[in-house]
């Protein structure tokens, strides 16, 4: 199935596809990939419609991620931008920078796969698309902050939105550190595009 899934960077024409992927129920419809973009007080003071409007504006202004397509149907999303585009990452104990870390790597922070398309390789295709998206925009280092299903096997789909260690390992990422028993900071160096 993965070979049938293609990814494309999000742009101003992607809004209808994004609304299909995020839907109207569940965690994605309440977050719209704004958790890492907003301060806690701004998050608490922003309703789901406003969060959707923020992602819409971000898509219009640039390319905050990639969409996965199966034929003409949008089936998933991955958020990928420079670390600095996500202010909350700098405050998290999972993603906080150390002296050895690159100053502004790119970060894959979120995966959304529509329920009826899960377990079909969509997340794997999204990660490949995120790598290419970042490389085309000059990224040389990319990070992910996945959950370790080996340490915590009974995670719900909602708890896997960061991706899993096995997914990132299959994408060529290596564990840099383990900030908690169930989370890893993983990194991959990218070759320049072209």
């Amino acid at each position: 199935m993965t070979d049938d899934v293609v990814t494309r960077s999000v742009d101003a024409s992607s809004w209808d596809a994004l609304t299909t992927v995020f839907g109207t129920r569940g965690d994605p419809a309440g977050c719209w990939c704004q958790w890492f973009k907003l301060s806690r007080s701004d998050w608490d003071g922003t309703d789901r419609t406003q969060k959707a409007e923020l992602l819409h504006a971000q898509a219009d202004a640039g390319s905050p991620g990639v969409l996965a397509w199966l034929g003409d149907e949008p089936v998933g999303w991955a958020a990928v931008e420079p670390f600095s585009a996500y202010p909350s990452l700098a405050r998290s104990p999972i993603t906080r920078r150390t002296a050895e870390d690159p100053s502004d790597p790119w970060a894959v922070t979120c995966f959304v796969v529509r329920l009826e398309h899960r377990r079909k390789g969509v997340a794997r295709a999204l990660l490949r698309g995120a790598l290419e998206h970042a490389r085309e925009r000059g990224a040389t280092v990319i990070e992910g902050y996945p959950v370790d299903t080996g340490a915590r096997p009974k995670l719900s789909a909602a708890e896997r939105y960061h991706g899993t260690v096995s997914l990132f390992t299959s994408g060529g990422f290596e564990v840099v550190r383990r900030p908690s028993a169930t989370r890893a900071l993983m990194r991959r160096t990218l070759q320049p595009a072209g």
Side-chain angles (χ1 to χ4, degrees):
M1 174 65 84
T2 305
D3 293 338
D4 297 332
V5 178
V6 297
T7 59
R8 295 184 206 121
S9 297
V10 168
D11 61 23
S13 69
S14 304
W15 184 243
D16 288 343
L18 282 167
T19 60
T20 298
V21 170
F22 280 83
T24 58
R25 298 181 304 141
D27 291 336
C31 180
W32 291 89
C33 272
Q34 300 305 303
W35 176 254
F36 296 112
K37 296 229 175 201
L38 300 173
S39 68
R40 182 59 192 249
S41 61
D42 287 343
W43 172 265
D44 291 340
T46 307
D47 67 26
R48 65 178 46 211
T49 300
Q50 293 167 315
K51 290 172 185 148
E53 291 168 356
L54 287 169
L55 182 58
H56 193 176
Q58 291 155 10
D60 284 349
S63 190
V66 294
L67 279 164
W69 297 81
L70 186 56
D72 293 332
E73 186 177 7
V75 296
W77 148 268
V80 55
E81 292 185 274
F83 186 93
S84 58
Y86 303 108
S88 291
L89 289 181
R91 295 186 295 272
S92 167
I94 301 294
T95 56
R96 189 173 296 129
R97 310 317 288 159
T98 68
E100 297 83 34
D101 289 330
S103 62
D104 196 20
W106 279 60
V108 181
T109 59
C110 180
F111 293 87
V112 177
V113 177
R114 290 174 52 203
L115 184 63
E116 61 273 23
H117 297 284
R118 293 183 184 157
R119 300 193 179 279
K120 298 179 181 176
V122 174
R124 193 170 314 276
L126 283 165
L127 184 57
R128 279 196 314 271
L131 288 167
E132 191 56 31
H133 172 88
R135 180 183 292 116
E136 288 171 354
R137 285 155 181 78
T140 57
V141 177
I142 189 165
E143 293 182 344
Y145 317 104
V147 295
D148 188 343
T149 55
R152 197 165 160 219
K154 294 188 178 183
L155 290 169
S156 69
E159 293 172 300
R160 296 172 187 244
Y161 77 93
H162 303 286
T164 62
V165 167
S166 62
L167 170 67
F168 279 86
T169 298
S170 74
F173 287 72
E174 295 181 1
V175 174
V176 174
R177 65 179 170 271
R178 293 262 184 183
S180 79
T182 60
R183 297 288 298 281
L185 188 152
M186 299 183 73
R187 189 174 293 145
R188 178 175 167 179
T189 301
L190 300 174
Q191 298 301 317

